[in-house]
Amino acid sequence: MIEDKYVILAHGNGGRLMRELINEVFAKILANPELDVGLDAAPINLDSDNDVFIATDGFTVQPLEFPGGDIGSLAVHGTVNDLAVAGATPQYLSLNAIIEEGFEIRRLTHIVQNLAAAANAAGVRVVAGDTKVVPKGHGGGLYLVTTGIGQRRRNLKLGMQHIREGDSILISGPIGDHGIAVLLAREEFDIEGEVRSDCASVLELTALALKFDGLRFMRDPTRGGLATVAHEIAMDTGFEVRMHENNIPVRDTVAMVCEMLGYDPFYLACEGRVVAVVASNQADGLLARWQNTIGGADSAIIGSTKHGDGRVVLETEIGGERFLEELEDDPLPRIC
Amino acid sequence: MIEDKYVILAHGNGGRLMRELINEVFAKILANPELDVGLDAAPINLDSDNDVFIATDGFTVQPLEFPGGDIGSLAVHGTVNDLAVAGATPQYLSLNAIIEEGFEIRRLTHIVQNLAAAANAAGVRVVAGDTKVVPKGHGGGLYLVTTGIGQRRRNLKLGMQHIREGDSILISGPIGDHGIAVLLAREEFDIEGEVRSDCASVLELTALALKFDGLRFMRDPTRGGLATVAHEIAMDTGFEVRMHENNIPVRDTVAMVCEMLGYDPFYLACEGRVVAVVASNQADGLLARWQNTIGGADSAIIGSTKHGDGRVVLETEIGGERFLEELEDDPLPRIC
């Protein structure tokens, strides 16, 4: 039993207290047959018929807890989703915690429990980890890093280079929920709002999309939001990415908060959405499959690739057009 | 060209500035055929005849630069060495940076250059990464996390469970250099001393050790030092770990600083040493091989496993005995 109520520097020094913290909090909650905290390096089993992928993500969200999730569930979904949109099935995670001295152990335990629940739900196992403790005033309470290993079937043709002119662009649900949920969870904003983060695994959605041979590319619009994904597509392919504002799902509350605070939902982070580019003749089919899931109920076809010059054009609700520029200033720091 | 002199929050927001920082600092310096910063997840090639291992480590050392290394070279060696002592050949690294707002970009560039040099020397490629920027006062300048993937030959018998009674224990060089080098690099201690960190890859040493079929176990004595490794062996095997103080290499300057400040070198971190447990009849052979290398010139046989009760006994210089207890309090925070 760990007796301390708060993390102290000695919990990071390699001695008895560190062993207790790792055993009582991390190892116990994350227990799985492949997690042996006594090892320097953990063995992982991979199927040699598949391609192997690695993805990594750091998490510094503030506040650590928000409606719909916390830094623990986010740390799983962020990395799992990076593998998922690459077409891979995530299997193994490593977990690093950088804990600020004075952090409450009960709170840490709760976060690790949510992390474990998210990992179980996504079918990934934490097999390696490391904990560091930094002095008070040198951290944001808790920072997490996860690195994931996944596999996908050999020779899958998925990636930016497969996008063609005339392809359709889909999104699996409303944009900006995560960004606004985190924003409202900060005490500095005195706005009443019922926005939950969309923080979730997108594995069901990507698995459905992978059934379509016309699937060209997937990405999860996290930092920088939908506008940033659209820009990456446009810059990389040289096509014009044309989207229809009317078709892009945005919750009323999100739109309202954006209007009040001067944010643009196109730049706000999602943590459980997928942008997919698919051959136009398969777009309706994929849309129907997605709309039939809980995570994709509000999915929509939002645009297409056109002959052009690498710009992102938004057809506005009132029938005009505007360029969506690349994100410059920082609208919402530390949403992930 | 990146025009800013300091990292600002917008360098972490997913937009143009982040793309510039990643391209101009990380991607350019770490360039290798397998690093594509536009990917969510990177493919890695593994040989299906080998066992695959994963290791991860976080780095929060303060100060970031010290004689013999910096957080960049340390971030490579820490994870490379975890794989090396597991008997694996490291191949791929992922890299996460958590940068505090206001950090100088020139300094970041220099650190990433040292990281790249260490990675090249160790034969590992950085294939995935992520950058986060935290507000001023929420970080220690720069925190790094690396996760490594390596391979080792199938069915290698190496691990704590293979240690037998009467095995010999070797260390590849003087202990405590890293801990004292970092300590003296802090301005708060006004001690003149010429101690360089031992921060280095141990791959040459572990490769030599792997040639001995009597090799049972290896570990690098980082946080918690030699005493902690000895405790892990004793606790896990139930043997007594008996070491001879006379035989354990400690530099004069390290011993002197320890005496002045009340530290015990047995608990100080090394970052380029290996503890190996080997069949006693192969100990001299391994010692000779190690002593023939630059990194292992001062290696020594320091003890053995005895029938006992899981304790660590040190035969002292003056002929007495003392128990080396498990590390309790924090002797040297943030040495890695």
Side-chain angles (χ1 to χ4, degrees):
Chain A
M1 250 306 282
I2 190 161
E3 284 169 20
D4 304 274
K5 284 188 69 174
Y6 299 96
V7 173
I8 60 175
L9 285 173
H11 281 115
N13 74 358
R16 182 180 64 84
L17 291 174
M18 187 171 104
R19 184 166 52 80
E20 279 184 10
L21 180 74
I22 289 174
N23 284 338
E24 297 297 321
V25 178
F26 292 96
K28 189 186 278 179
I29 299 171
L30 297 169
N32 69 66
E34 280 155 290
L35 177 62
D36 179 347
V37 294
L39 292 177
D40 304 289
I44 55 178
N45 284 313
L46 297 165
D47 182 341
S48 56
D49 290 337
N50 289 322
D51 287 331
V52 179
F53 280 74
I54 184 169
T56 193
D57 219 341
F59 302 89
T60 61
V61 65
Q62 201 63 253
L64 301 177
E65 295 95 355
F66 45 82
D70 67 10
I71 192 171
S73 58
L74 188 63
V76 170
H77 295 140
T79 294
V80 158
N81 291 349
D82 279 345
L83 288 166
V85 296
T89 303
Q91 289 180 280
Y92 300 102
L93 279 187
S94 66
L95 170 67
N96 303 76
I98 297 175
I99 312 170
E100 188 178 0
E101 181 187 15
F103 199 73
E104 208 188 347
I105 287 180
R106 200 170 57 176
R107 191 176 177 197
L108 180 66
T109 302
H110 194 68
I111 288 168
V112 177
Q113 283 166 342
N114 285 335
L115 189 151
N120 286 337
V124 290
R125 278 157 296 177
V126 176
V127 291
D130 180 61
T131 303
K132 290 287 186 297
V133 180
V134 295
K136 210 166 176 62
H138 289 245
L142 179 66
Y143 298 144
L144 297 177
V145 167
T146 54
T147 304
I149 303 288
Q151 299 184 72
R152 80 176 195 193
R153 68 170 192 267
R154 190 142 287 173
N155 297 325
L156 179 68
K157 289 201 185 346
L158 182 71
M160 206 73 97
Q161 71 276 23
H162 300 292
I163 296 176
R164 303 184 199 169
E165 192 180 327
D167 284 345
S168 296
I169 302 172
L170 282 78
I171 191 153
S172 66
I175 59 173
D177 292 5
H178 178 72
I180 293 299
V182 170
L183 187 79
L184 294 185
R186 293 187 190 162
E187 290 169 7
E188 68 217 70
F189 297 101
D190 193 22
I191 298 175
E192 297 275 329
E194 292 258 323
V195 182
R196 287 174 64 83
S197 166
D198 53 299
C199 180
S201 155
V202 300
L203 275 168
E204 186 184 12
L205 298 166
T206 55
L208 286 172
L210 286 166
K211 294 182 189 295
F212 290 81
D213 61 5
L215 180 72
R216 320 279 200 213
F217 173 78
M218 295 190 285
R219 180 149 291 173
D220 52 333
T222 56
R223 268 186 295 185
L226 175 61
T228 298
V229 174
H231 260 283
E232 285 167 351
I233 296 171
M235 282 191 294
D236 232 63
T237 63
F239 295 133
E240 176 186 296
V241 169
R242 178 166 287 260
M243 299 191 293
H244 312 281
E245 193 167 15
N246 271 328
N247 297 348
I248 300 173
V250 184
R251 289 188 202 285
D252 290 344
T253 331
V254 170
M256 190 194 73
V257 175
C258 280
E259 194 141 321
M260 286 171 68
L261 297 176
Y263 292 119
D264 187 335
F266 297 104
Y267 297 93
L268 291 182
C270 311
E271 288 290 347
R273 306 291 178 225
V274 181
V275 172
V277 181
V278 65
S280 59
N281 63 349
Q282 298 187 358
D284 287 331
L286 176 55
L287 182 69
R289 298 296 290 267
W290 273 6
Q291 286 181 335
N292 212 22
T293 66
I294 293 173
D298 298 320
S299 53
I301 301 172
I302 58 171
S304 58
T305 52
K306 306 275 181 201
H307 179 77
D309 57 356
R311 293 216 265 189
V312 178
V313 180
L314 190 71
E315 294 187 3
T316 61
E317 288 181 349
I318 53 171
E321 281 186 8
R322 67 173 169 114
F323 293 117
L324 269 190
E325 300 297 338
E326 196 176 2
L327 176 62
E328 286 283 331
D329 205 358
D330 197 8
L332 268 178
R334 301 179 74 188
I335 39 64
C336 57
Chain B
M1 251 305 281
I2 190 162
E3 285 169 20
D4 303 274
K5 284 188 70 174
Y6 299 96
V7 172
I8 59 174
L9 286 172
H11 281 116
N13 74 359
R16 180 180 65 84
L17 292 174
M18 187 172 103
R19 184 166 53 80
E20 278 184 10
L21 181 74
I22 290 174
N23 283 340
E24 297 297 321
V25 178
F26 292 96
K28 189 186 278 178
I29 299 171
L30 298 169
N32 69 66
E34 280 154 290
L35 178 62
D36 178 348
V37 295
L39 293 178
D40 304 289
I44 55 177
N45 284 312
L46 297 165
D47 181 342
S48 56
D49 290 338
N50 289 323
D51 287 331
V52 179
F53 280 74
I54 184 169
T56 193
D57 219 342
F59 302 88
T60 62
V61 65
Q62 200 65 254
L64 300 177
E65 294 94 357
F66 45 83
D70 68 8
I71 192 172
S73 57
L74 188 63
V76 170
H77 296 140
T79 294
V80 158
N81 290 350
D82 279 346
L83 288 165
V85 296
T89 303
Q91 290 181 279
Y92 300 103
L93 279 187
S94 66
L95 170 67
N96 303 77
I98 297 176
I99 311 170
E100 187 178 0
E101 180 187 16
F103 198 74
E104 208 188 348
I105 287 180
R106 202 169 57 176
R107 191 175 177 197
L108 180 67
T109 302
H110 194 66
I111 288 168
V112 177
Q113 283 166 342
N114 285 335
L115 189 151
N120 285 338
V124 291
R125 278 157 296 176
V126 176
V127 291
D130 180 61
T131 303
K132 290 286 186 297
V133 180
V134 296
K136 211 166 177 62
H138 289 246
L142 178 66
Y143 298 143
L144 297 178
V145 167
T146 54
T147 303
I149 303 289
Q151 299 184 71
R152 80 176 194 192
R153 66 170 193 267
R154 188 143 289 173
N155 298 324
L156 179 68
K157 289 203 186 341
L158 182 72
M160 205 73 95
Q161 72 277 23
H162 300 292
I163 296 176
R164 302 181 200 171
E165 194 180 325
D167 284 345
S168 296
I169 302 172
L170 282 78
I171 190 151
S172 65
I175 58 173
D177 292 5
H178 178 72
I180 293 300
V182 170
L183 187 79
L184 295 185
R186 291 186 191 163
E187 290 171 7
E188 67 217 74
F189 297 100
D190 193 22
I191 299 176
E192 297 276 330
E194 292 258 324
V195 182
R196 287 173 65 83
S197 166
D198 53 299
C199 180
S201 156
V202 299
L203 275 169
E204 186 183 13
L205 299 165
T206 56
L208 286 172
L210 287 165
K211 295 181 189 295
F212 290 81
D213 63 3
L215 180 71
R216 319 281 200 211
F217 172 78
M218 295 189 286
R219 181 150 290 173
D220 51 334
T222 57
R223 267 186 295 185
L226 175 60
T228 298
V229 174
H231 260 283
E232 285 167 352
I233 296 171
M235 282 192 294
D236 232 63
T237 63
F239 294 133
E240 176 187 296
V241 168
R242 179 166 286 259
M243 299 192 293
H244 313 281
E245 193 167 14
N246 272 327
N247 298 347
I248 299 174
V250 183
R251 290 188 201 285
D252 290 344
T253 331
V254 169
M256 190 194 74
V257 175
C258 279
E259 194 141 321
M260 288 172 66
L261 297 177
Y263 292 118
D264 187 335
F266 298 105
Y267 297 93
L268 291 182
C270 310
E271 290 290 347
R273 305 292 177 225
V274 182
V275 173
V277 182
V278 66
S280 60
N281 63 349
Q282 298 187 358
D284 287 330
L286 176 55
L287 182 69
R289 298 296 291 267
W290 273 6
Q291 286 181 334
N292 211 22
T293 67
I294 293 173
D298 299 319
S299 53
I301 300 171
I302 58 172
S304 59
T305 52
K306 306 275 181 203
H307 179 76
D309 57 355
R311 293 217 266 189
V312 178
V313 180
L314 190 70
E315 294 188 4
T316 61
E317 289 179 350
I318 53 170
E321 282 187 4
R322 67 172 168 114
F323 293 117
L324 269 190
E325 300 297 338
E326 196 176 1
L327 176 61
E328 285 283 330
D329 205 357
D330 198 8
L332 267 178
R334 302 179 73 189
I335 39 65
C336 57

